[in-house]
């Protein structure tokens, strides 16, 4: 009599469960634009969703705690003249988000911790380099301020957001780029393309280092649906979650180093199809409930959290479920990465949970910005500053300092009033 051997894995019994109705985000007009991105991005502070908008592109940013019905007049992030196609939170600053649009530009935004009183319309920096729509934006996993964009012009551009300048441009793709993913330390990235080729690229050498693989190590047929699959990989658990656009299920698998490499675990199913999906970084999960993943499923008019849990009886911290994970601090500066240095992400422990830091401002200092501007017109009465009397120079400096102090005090007053108003609107006062 033969006895089947069951593979041992602590993730065999992972199960998915939708959050309660009152923990969802309702009345969100999810974008209907025809594009194959996830339409959703999430981090331990905020949920961002690309939404329908007249007169240009827009997306909605909500604090994670602002569950329930979203007011129809809730301020959006606006600024693109065409539909927004992709959004991505910076892994090193939870208040910074990048957006790519059909208007051929990429914009980087600073999102305030408090609820804004009016739409956010001024990005920190606008990145212009593509000649067609920008459909993919991906932050570098370990280097500060490095952002990758891919457009329908088949170009990949890597930017230093801190200076607003393009660092690397690659034109190795003959057709539309479908997706881009950095490797663990950001030394390479992988692309899929309409020509059905998978490419591994070394951006600093500006070359494709691998393509046209002979055979996959594992091949698994899922179904006959023609919807686009959105894969989310968790390196801490070696699990991959597959979410099909237009599908109503989430399949998850465990990846191992020995054959057959890919092991099916289970499927979370629901009645409603998904329009898009967001995936929470590991530092945003609830370790006290043995939560190993949290996905944010977009319906037609709402966003619903899906919580993946490993059932455990103990209330203690589960070391085997939560190895040290990727933290919010960058391991490299842009110049170090560009010079060829590689570093793995800086890890943190989740034993005591994770508390997101307060907003940190991203400062952009554009290089040679004055060189690209026409010289200012000078009146006939203008004189060289070096010839001004010392008394007049001193008076001008004093007046400038006085004006700066006035502006700073007014900005502080505006910020205080907005914070006070947000406390009233959020019901905390």
């Amino acid at each position: 009599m033969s006895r089947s051997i069951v593979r041992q894995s602590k993730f065999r019994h992972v199960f998915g469960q939708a959050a309660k109705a009152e923990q969802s985000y309702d009345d969100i007009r999810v974008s209907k634009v025809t594009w194959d991105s996830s339409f959703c991005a999430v981090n331990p502070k905020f949920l961002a969703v690309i939404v329908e908008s007249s007169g240009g592109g827009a997306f909605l940013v909500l604090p994670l705690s602002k569950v329930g019905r979203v007011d129809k007049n809730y301020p959006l992030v606006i600024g693109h003249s065409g539909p927004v196609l992709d959004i991505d939170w910076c892994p090193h600053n939870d208040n910074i988000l990048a957006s790519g649009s059909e208007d051929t530009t990429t914009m980087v935004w600073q999102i305030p911790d408090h609820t804004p009183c009016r739409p956010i319309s001024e990005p920190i920096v606008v990145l212009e380099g593509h000649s067609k729509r920008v459909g993919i934006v991906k932050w570098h996993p370990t280097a500060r301020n490095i952002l990758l964009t891919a457009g329908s012009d088949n170009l990949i551009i890597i930017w230093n957001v801190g200076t607003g300048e393009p660092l690397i441009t690659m034109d190795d793709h003959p057709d539309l780029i479908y997706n881009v993913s950095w490797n663990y330390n950001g030394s390479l990235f992988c692309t899929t393309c309409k020509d059905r080729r998978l490419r591994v690229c070394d951006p600093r050498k500006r070359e494709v280092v691998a393509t046209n693989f002979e055979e996959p190590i594992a091949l698994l047929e899922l179904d006959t649906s023609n919807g686009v699959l959105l894969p989310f990989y968790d390196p801490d658990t070696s699990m991959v979650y597959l979410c099909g656009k237009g599908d109503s299920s989430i399949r998850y698998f465990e990846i191992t180093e020995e054959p057959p490499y890919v092991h099916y675990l289970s499927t979370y199913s629901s009645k409603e199809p998904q329009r898009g999906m967001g995936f929470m970084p590991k530092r945003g999960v609830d370790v006290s409930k043995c939560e190993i993943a949290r996905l944010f499923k977009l319906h037609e008019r709402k966003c619903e959290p899906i919580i993946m849990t490993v059932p455990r009886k103990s209330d203690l911290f589960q070391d085997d479920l939560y190895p040290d994970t990727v933290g919010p601090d960058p391991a490299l500066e842009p110049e170090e990465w560009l010079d060829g240095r590689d570093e793995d992400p800086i890890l943190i422990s989740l034993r005591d949970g994770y508390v997101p830091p307060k907003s940190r401002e991203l400062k952009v200092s554009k290089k040679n910005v004055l060189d690209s501007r026409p010289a200012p017109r000078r009146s006939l009465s203008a004189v060289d500053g070096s010839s001004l009397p010392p008394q007049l120079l001193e008076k001008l400096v004093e007046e400038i300092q006085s004006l700066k102090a006035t502006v700073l005090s007014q900005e502080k007053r505006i910020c205080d009033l907005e914070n006070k108003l947000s406390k009233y609107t959020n019901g905390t006062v």
Side-chain angles (χ1 to χ4, degrees), residues 271-293:
K271 295 180 180 178
E272 298 292 327
Q274 50 233 13
R275 298 278 299 277
M277 193 74 68
F279 192 74
M280 174 69 76
K282 185 57 67 71
R283 54 195 169 90
V285 303
D286 188 346
V287 297
S288 66
K289 297 179 180 178
C290 295
E291 176 186 327
I292 62 167

Side-chain angles (χ1 to χ4, degrees), residues 130-407:
H130 290 281
S131 60
K132 294 184 179 180
R133 61 186 176 184
V134 179
I136 299 171
V137 290
K138 294 284 185 184
W139 291 95
H140 192 280
T142 64
R144 188 195 308 272
N145 293 345
I146 296 294
L147 178 69
L148 179 151
T149 62
S152 294
D153 52 7
N154 307 337
L155 285 183
I156 289 177
I157 303 178
I158 297 176
W159 308 81
N160 181 348
V161 173
T163 60
E165 62 178 341
L167 302 177
I168 297 166
T169 300
M170 297 184 67
D171 59 356
D172 303 274
H173 295 76
D175 214 326
L176 182 66
I177 301 164
Y178 284 155
N179 204 354
V180 179
S181 180
W182 291 98
N183 67 348
Y184 185 66
N185 67 359
S187 59
L188 305 169
F189 62 80
C190 182
T191 66
T192 54
C193 181
K194 192 176 181 180
D195 67 356
R196 299 192 176 189
R197 287 178 182 267
L198 186 72
R199 292 172 173 85
V200 178
C201 303
D202 186 329
R204 289 164 298 187
K205 291 182 179 178
R206 293 169 174 79
E207 65 181 20
V208 176
V209 295
T211 187
N212 201 19
F213 302 99
E214 294 180 359
E215 292 290 335
I217 61 170
L219 182 62
L220 191 65
E221 186 173 332
L222 299 177
D223 53 37
T224 56
S225 171
N226 60 358
V228 174
L229 279 176
L230 303 174
F232 299 99
Y233 178 65
D234 178 6
D236 295 346
T237 60
S238 297
M239 287 178 60
V240 62
Y241 302 83
L242 296 181
C243 316
K245 263 196 166 186
D247 197 359
S248 58
S249 62
I250 302 172
R251 299 174 178 86
Y252 39 106
F253 304 80
E254 185 177 2
I255 311 299
T256 60
E257 294 183 356
E258 59 277 345
Y261 304 108
V262 179
H263 305 271
Y264 170 76
L265 293 173
S266 189
T267 299
Y268 166 82
S269 298
S270 60
K271 295 180 180 178
E272 298 292 327
Q274 50 233 13
R275 298 278 299 277
M277 193 74 68
F279 192 74
M280 174 69 76
K282 185 57 67 71
R283 54 195 169 90
V285 303
D286 188 346
V287 297
S288 66
K289 297 179 180 178
C290 295
E291 176 186 327
I292 62 167
R294 194 187 313 167
L295 298 97
F296 288 73
K297 175 180 174 178
L298 296 185
H299 297 247
E300 187 174 350
R301 297 281 299 188
K302 75 172 183 178
C303 179
E304 177 186 45
I306 309 293
I307 299 163
M308 299 290 177
T309 307
V310 176
R312 293 282 172 93
K313 293 181 180 179
S314 174
D315 293 332
L316 300 175
F317 179 76
Q318 306 294 308
D319 296 86
D320 61 324
L321 297 183
Y322 302 106
D324 288 354
T325 192
V326 176
D329 294 323
L332 293 170
E333 295 300 321
E335 299 78 14
E336 294 175 317
W337 178 79
L338 192 61
D339 287 342
R341 185 174 162 190
D342 293 318
E343 291 286 348
D344 285 346
I346 298 174
L347 305 182
I348 59 171
S349 172
L350 296 180
R351 178 173 291 276
D352 299 318
Y354 174 77
V355 178
K358 290 185 178 181
S359 176
R360 294 172 293 165
E361 185 181 357
L362 172 61
K363 295 183 179 180
V364 178
S365 55
K366 289 196 173 183
K367 293 184 177 179
N368 302 323
V369 68
L370 295 178
D371 293 346
S372 61
R373 294 182 178 177
R377 296 178 62 186
R378 303 180 66 185
S379 66
L380 293 175
S381 59
V383 293
D384 187 4
S386 61
S387 64
L388 288 175
Q391 297 88 349
L392 182 55
L393 276 174
E394 187 176 341
K395 188 176 180 180
L396 286 173
V397 171
E398 288 179 357
E399 187 175 353
I400 290 170
Q401 290 175 341
S402 175
L403 287 171
K404 283 184 176 179
T406 302
V407 170

Side-chain angles (χ1 to χ4, degrees), residues 37-65:
S37 71
S38 61
F39 287 3
C40 179
V42 64
N43 68 21
K45 275 188 176 182
F46 299 106
L47 167 71
V49 180
I50 301 174
V51 294
E52 285 287 288
S53 175
S54 58
F59 54 92
L60 173 72
V61 177
L62 295 171
L64 282 186
S65 58

